[in-house]
Amino acid sequence: MAYAFPFDYAQARKEFLHAADSAGARLRTFPLPGRRGPDGGELRVDTAYLGPAAPATLLVTVSGTHGIEGFCGSACQTRILLGEGMAQSAAARGAGVLLVHALNPYGFAYLRRVNEDNIDLNRNFVDHNRPPHNDPYDLVHSALTPQGDDAFHAADVAGALTRLRDRLGPQTLQEAVTRGQYRHPDGLFYGGRGPCWSQRVFRTIVADQIEGSGAAHIGYIDLHTGLGERGLGEPIFRGGRDADAYRRARRWYGDALTASEKGTSSSTPIVGNTATAVADGLARDRRLTAITLEFGTRPGPEVLLALCADNWLHLHREPADAARSDLKTLIRAAFSPADDEEWRTSVFRRAREVFTQALTGLAADAADRA
C-alpha cells in the first residue's frame, strides 16, 4: 500500500493503523470522551511501538500536537517510519521506536490548530496555578479577534495586522502573538486554565511508554508545519536538561539545528510545549535529545491571517458548519499544502533525513556506553 498525504483525519488514522499493524507494532489507543469528528467518527490518540521490551534507546515521534499540522506528521510517520520500514529496521537492531499519532485528534479532524476548547496544546504544559504572563499579547488581541458575526473580512484584518507589524516590528509582533497567553480563552495561542485532555493523555504516554520503557536515552521529534522557509524542515532544539544536550543535538543534526533561546530559529521562545512534559517525566539518569521538526509553508503574515480567520470561524459557527466552510482553504494552505507536489517531496526527503540522523545518533550513543 502506497501511503501519501491523507485527505482527512479518518483516512490518516486508518492508514496509520494499517501500516502499524502490518509492521507488527504494539498498539494502544485513547478515545476522546464526548466528542465526535465532523463525519460522526471517533476521535482517538493512538500509539504504536516497535522494539524490544526494554530498549537501551528510544526514538519518539509525535504528530498532530497542533491538530491540522497532523496531516504532515501523520504522513511522515506512516509512509517513512512504517511504510518504508525505517522503524522496523531500527527495532531489529534493538532500538525502540514509539509513534504517537494525532495527539490533538479534535483539531486534526476539524482542521484546527487548537483543541476542542480552543487550547494550544503546545502552550498547555505549564503550572496553571502560576501561568506565565504574556502582557504584550493583550495589546494585539483585539486585532487578532475581529468582532461581527456576519462575515470574516480578510482584507480588513490583513490591513490591521500590517499596521501592527509596522508599529511593533515583525519580531516583536511574533513574540507577542506566539509565546502563549492565558487570559483570553477566545484568542490565539491560548494555553488554557488547566491541563486539557490531550495533556493528560500525553503525560500518561510519557509515564507508561517513554519513562516506562527504561530506555537510557530518548530521541524526541515533534512534527510541525507553518513556520520558516517553505518545505525546509528546520530542527529546533527543545531540550534535554543534561549539560551536553545541546551539543549532542548539534552532533546529530549538524549546522541546521536552531534554538529559539539563542535567536537562531524561525520560532521565538515558547513555554509549555510537549518536550517539557517529556523532560519532566524522565528520571534524572535518563538523557533526552528533543527537537521540533518544523516545515515551512506560507509567509508568516499569511499564516497569521489564516489563524485569525479560523479563530473567527469557530467563534461564530457551529463546529461541523465551520469545518465545511470555504474559509478552511486558508488554514489548509497555511498548515497542510498537500496539493503542492514539490512541497510534499521536500517534506518526505527532509523527514527521512532527520529520522535517520536521530536513529544514528541514538545508536552511536548506545555504542559509546556499551
Side-chain angles (χ1 to χ4, degrees):
M1 183 175 185
Y3 301 103
F5 269 71
F7 177 75
D8 58 18
Y9 163 77
Q11 181 189 2
R13 181 170 188 257
K14 179 180 178 180
E15 292 185 352
F16 174 80
L17 293 177
H18 180 274
D21 184 64
S22 298
R26 294 192 285 280
L27 296 169
R28 188 174 179 185
T29 189
F30 302 85
L32 174 59
R35 300 281 186 167
R36 294 272 175 170
D39 61 353
E42 290 187 328
L43 302 175
R44 294 174 178 258
V45 176
D46 296 291
T47 67
Y49 176 74
L50 296 99
T57 63
L58 177 68
L59 175 64
V60 181
T61 68
V62 179
S63 66
T65 298
H66 282 148
I68 190 171
E69 299 177 31
F71 286 98
C72 175
S74 174
C76 292
Q77 290 175 315
T78 301
R79 173 169 172 166
I80 299 170
L81 288 171
L82 295 172
E84 295 180 5
M86 187 178 288
Q88 297 92 303
S89 296
R93 296 191 298 269
V97 180
L98 176 66
L99 295 83
V100 182
H101 185 264
L103 185 56
N104 169 11
Y106 183 93
F108 199 156
Y110 282 90
L111 308 181
R112 301 213 69 195
R113 188 175 174 277
V114 293
N115 80 342
E116 57 275 12
D117 298 311
N118 198 47
I119 291 173
D120 183 324
L121 178 58
N122 224 31
R123 308 296 187 275
N124 189 242
F125 293 88
V126 299
D127 180 356
H128 288 279
N129 292 317
R130 294 184 300 172
H133 295 309
N134 177 14
D135 293 336
Y137 179 87
D138 297 341
L139 303 177
V140 301
H141 175 70
S142 61
L144 303 176
T145 55
Q147 301 301 306
D149 61 1
D150 57 332
F152 179 80
H153 301 287
D156 293 344
V157 176
L161 296 178
T162 297
R163 289 189 292 275
L164 266 181
R165 196 158 45 249
D166 291 344
R167 177 161 60 88
L168 301 176
Q171 183 75 9
T172 300
L173 176 60
Q174 183 183 356
E175 291 175 359
V177 173
T178 65
R179 183 174 181 84
Q181 57 88 12
Y182 300 83
R183 296 171 176 164
H184 302 273
D186 62 338
L188 272 60
F189 295 86
Y190 173 58
R193 292 179 176 162
C196 67
W197 176 81
S198 287
Q199 193 212 119
R200 297 193 298 272
V201 166
F202 190 63
R203 290 198 184 275
T204 297
I205 293 169
V206 171
D208 294 352
Q209 298 182 262
I210 301 179
E211 166 65 17
S213 73
H217 192 170
I218 294 92
Y220 182 78
I221 302 174
D222 195 5
L223 295 151
H224 287 260
T225 61
L227 193 62
E229 185 178 336
R230 188 171 178 86
L232 178 64
E234 175 189 352
I236 306 171
F237 180 69
R238 292 293 184 218
R241 292 179 177 164
D242 63 287
D244 193 46
Y246 180 77
R247 290 190 297 271
R248 187 171 58 243
R250 191 65 179 261
R251 290 195 297 271
W252 289 17
Y253 300 112
D255 293 342
L257 184 76
T258 67
S260 302
E261 290 72 18
K262 295 177 182 291
T264 59
S265 175
S266 62
S267 168
T268 57
I270 63 174
V271 295
N273 59 71
T274 61
T276 300
V278 179
D280 288 345
L282 294 179
R284 293 179 64 87
D285 61 343
R286 304 280 199 264
R287 289 183 305 285
L288 171 67
T289 309
I291 64 167
T292 293
L293 182 57
E294 182 77 54
F295 292 100
T297 52
R298 308 291 297 175
E302 293 183 30
V303 173
L304 182 54
L305 179 64
L307 289 172
C308 293
D310 193 65
N311 187 66
W312 177 90
L313 182 62
H314 284 267
L315 286 174
H316 295 93
R317 302 289 185 268
E318 291 298 317
D321 292 336
R324 293 189 291 267
S325 169
D326 289 343
L327 278 178
K328 285 294 182 182
T329 58
L330 295 178
I331 200 165
R332 271 200 181 266
F335 293 102
S336 182
D339 56 346
D340 182 337
E341 183 176 357
E342 183 178 355
W343 186 81
R344 294 196 311 268
T345 300
S346 296
V347 164
F348 285 137
R349 181 175 59 247
R350 181 63 174 142
R352 192 177 294 112
E353 179 180 34
V354 171
F355 292 157
T356 299
Q357 289 172 323
L359 289 168
T360 300
L362 286 168
D365 183 83
D368 289 344
R369 294 175 181 271

